[in-house]
DNA sequence: TTAAATTGTGTCATTTCAACACTAAAAACA
DNA sequence: TGTTTTTAGTGTTGAAATGACACAATTTAA
């Protein structure tokens, strides 16, 4: 059956922007390609959509392949389709935006793919239009972290408020008032006190919270605003 | 040259959700297909990406083809890629979200495509997964009209504040307080008083404003919030 | 036990927001 | 002609949210 004989058949790629947070910096999981073309150069983790594979399944497959993780926070971001974007062959790339708890992934799988966690500031030149994809993903992170509770995807299951604050300070690259941040965060009702304290601290130990999964789902689409006003004009 | 011999080549479609506003209702521009497959059924306006065509150019081409318009507000929305979504052949569809000033389009071109403006409430069953695409676009409209000044794309070049209010009331399907709406809108500094009044009115004539194009660009990414709190929990 | 660093809670003035009352303009109609 | 009806435009006020800032509590190390 061929209902559309004259239309072009095109390669459909999937590329993944994977963000992590090490407690200090936002990092990207990038791979050094050990295959042609562009062998030896840095790129996003990616692959091709299979003939009978759902698009989102493809993204999950590729993310799982690299990290060994099953339940990754992943959103479809944007499809890049400039005619010459892949010099090898016409390829349309669907870009996915993923957030992972940086300590959860399978570091063996990562190593075998020649992948590394790299801070945003020190990221290398990437192949094709991958740099544009990264810029788009950073924009998306800034935009969405202000409006939805996606920041929780980047910190451990049990986290402290100061930890979250450092995350937001890293995302927006500005200092945030500790007291106002804490008040705003607690007022969401999304945090459950685990009763434990953070023992890694060398000074006062902070309370460990976990997410209220029920409320998280219910409130995901309600509008937060952790972005300070000073950012709003940008 | 074939660097990726084993990967699948797939049809890449472009489908467009086109919203308009007639002063009372939000409407969709839908076509009744006069070609196979699914001839005679309702669908979104669409087509296939050409072999050497940029993705966004393809969307502009398809929109121009239907409406005769060149400068349409258009954003890429989401790519739909379930394996069986088009029973004819494996097709990945990139969906675009377009807003037009409903009186601007070329109604001859629309007529020749068997297209009609249809209110959201009375929209017919659509082919394939087009209904899901429409739902996604409505969600996007609600979300984004609250945060960005995209509402202006749906009203005439010169518009009144009550006109805009009716638009927002239609988008969110709720009544909005006239006085608070006006104050909020004027405080953005995006409106320029044209000095004219709306002569279509049978009562007090409202002031006609136009957009401050400079400020519109500068403020596009600043966060508005025209969505009333009552909507935030949804 | 004192100092240094960090966490947790409180206060207060300013701003924003939602709810509501009043005035102004324009046409229809008595 | 002036009264009614409808819609547009501006003002007020109390409540809630926000940003700036002070102080107390906890923990380790000196």
């Amino acid at each position: 059956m061929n209902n559309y004989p004259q239309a072009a058949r095109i390669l459909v790629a999937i590329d993944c922007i994977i963000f992590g947070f090490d407690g200090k910096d936002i990092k990207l999981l990038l791979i050094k390609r050990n295959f042609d073309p562009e062998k030896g150069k840095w790129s996003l983790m990616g692959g091709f959509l299979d003939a009978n594979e759902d698009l989102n399944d493809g993204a999950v497959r590729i993310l799982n392949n690299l990290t060994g993780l099953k339940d990754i926070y992943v959103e479809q971001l944007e499809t890049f389709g400039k005619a010459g974007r892949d010099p090898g062959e016409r390829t349309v790339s669907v870009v996915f935006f993923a957030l992972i708890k940086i300590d959860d992934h399978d570091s063996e799988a990562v190593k075998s793919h020649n992948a590394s966690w790299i801070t945003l500031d020190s990221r290398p030149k990437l192949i094709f239009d991958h740099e544009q994809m990264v810029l788009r993903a950073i924009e998306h992170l800034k935009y969405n972290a202000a409006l939805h509770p996606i920041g929780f995807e980047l910190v451990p299951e049990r986290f402290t408020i100061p930890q979250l604050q450092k995350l937001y300070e890293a995302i927006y690259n500005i200092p945030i008032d500790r007291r106002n941040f804490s008040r705003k965060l607690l007022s969401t009702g999304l945090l459950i006190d685990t009763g434990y304290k953070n023992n890694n601290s060398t000074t006062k130990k902070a309370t460990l919270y976990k997410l209220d999964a029920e409320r998280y789902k219910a409130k995901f689409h309600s509008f937060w605003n952790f972005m300070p006003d000073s950012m709003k004009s940008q």
Side-chain angles (χ1 to χ4, degrees), chain A:
Chain A
M1 182 140 85
N2 185 348
N3 288 295
Y4 318 110
Q6 74 292 14
R9 274 71 180 171
I10 297 173
L11 285 170
V12 176
I14 292 169
D15 286 303
C16 298
I17 319 271
I18 307 168
F19 286 110
F21 178 62
D22 66 1
K24 188 164 162 288
D25 293 304
I26 306 286
K27 292 187 166 180
L28 275 173
L29 189 53
L30 298 174
I31 67 168
K32 199 163 192 173
R33 285 162 75 100
N34 46 12
F35 50 90
D36 273 317
E38 303 281 10
K39 186 171 174 175
K41 297 195 179 167
W42 288 96
S43 86
L44 296 170
M45 181 69 184
F48 290 103
L49 179 63
D50 290 342
N52 294 305
E53 184 181 43
D54 287 2
L55 184 56
N56 291 328
D57 291 348
V60 170
R61 166 175 58 85
I62 286 165
L63 287 166
N64 176 255
N65 194 330
L66 177 60
T67 65
L69 298 176
K70 292 266 178 199
D71 291 316
I72 292 182
Y73 177 89
V74 56
E75 291 179 72
Q76 195 187 300
L77 186 62
E78 186 181 328
T79 299
F80 283 66
K82 282 247 167 73
R85 54 170 295 284
D86 183 331
E89 181 176 338
R90 179 69 202 271
T91 306
V92 163
S93 173
V94 184
V95 179
F96 285 81
F97 171 95
L99 303 177
I100 79 176
K101 304 180 196 299
I102 205 166
D103 294 323
D104 282 1
H105 69 278
D106 175 355
S107 51
E108 284 309 309
V110 164
K111 202 171 284 177
S112 76
H113 280 89
N114 254 332
S116 308
W117 285 103
I118 298 178
T119 63
L120 294 184
D121 287 340
S122 62
R123 69 182 185 274
K125 188 166 157 42
L126 301 173
I127 63 166
F128 305 163
D129 50 2
H130 287 197
E131 171 66 11
Q132 278 173 260
M133 295 173 178
V134 169
L135 290 173
R136 177 72 185 79
I138 292 171
E139 182 186 76
H140 184 82
L141 177 63
K142 288 189 176 185
Y143 187 97
N144 283 268
L147 298 171
H148 303 289
I150 59 173
F152 298 112
E153 306 294 341
L154 289 167
V155 293
E157 189 115 12
R158 295 172 161 202
F159 53 85
T160 67
I161 292 181
Q163 226 174 336
L164 267 177
Q165 181 177 340
K166 286 191 186 72
L167 170 64
Y168 280 90
E169 289 178 329
I171 293 175
Y172 297 111
N173 204 31
I174 45 144
I176 297 175
D177 185 274
R178 194 165 44 86
R179 298 151 287 194
N180 294 336
F181 182 80
S182 171
R183 171 158 43 93
K184 220 166 182 175
L185 197 59
L186 288 169
S187 74
T188 63
L190 291 174
L191 270 52
I192 297 175
D193 188 333
T194 63
Y196 294 92
K197 300 276 179 179
N198 176 21
N199 283 316
N200 298 345
S201 171
T202 165
T203 61
K204 181 170 180 179
K205 297 174 196 317
T207 304
L208 283 163
Y209 292 91
K210 61 178 181 178
L211 250 191
D212 186 327
E214 289 288 311
R215 284 177 192 248
Y216 174 75
K217 276 190 191 172
K219 291 197 95 179
F220 189 87
H221 287 289
S222 68
F223 290 66
W224 285 24
N225 199 348
F226 277 114
M227 184 182 291
D229 279 348
S230 59
M231 292 292 301
K232 288 191 184 179
S233 54
Q234 295 178 27

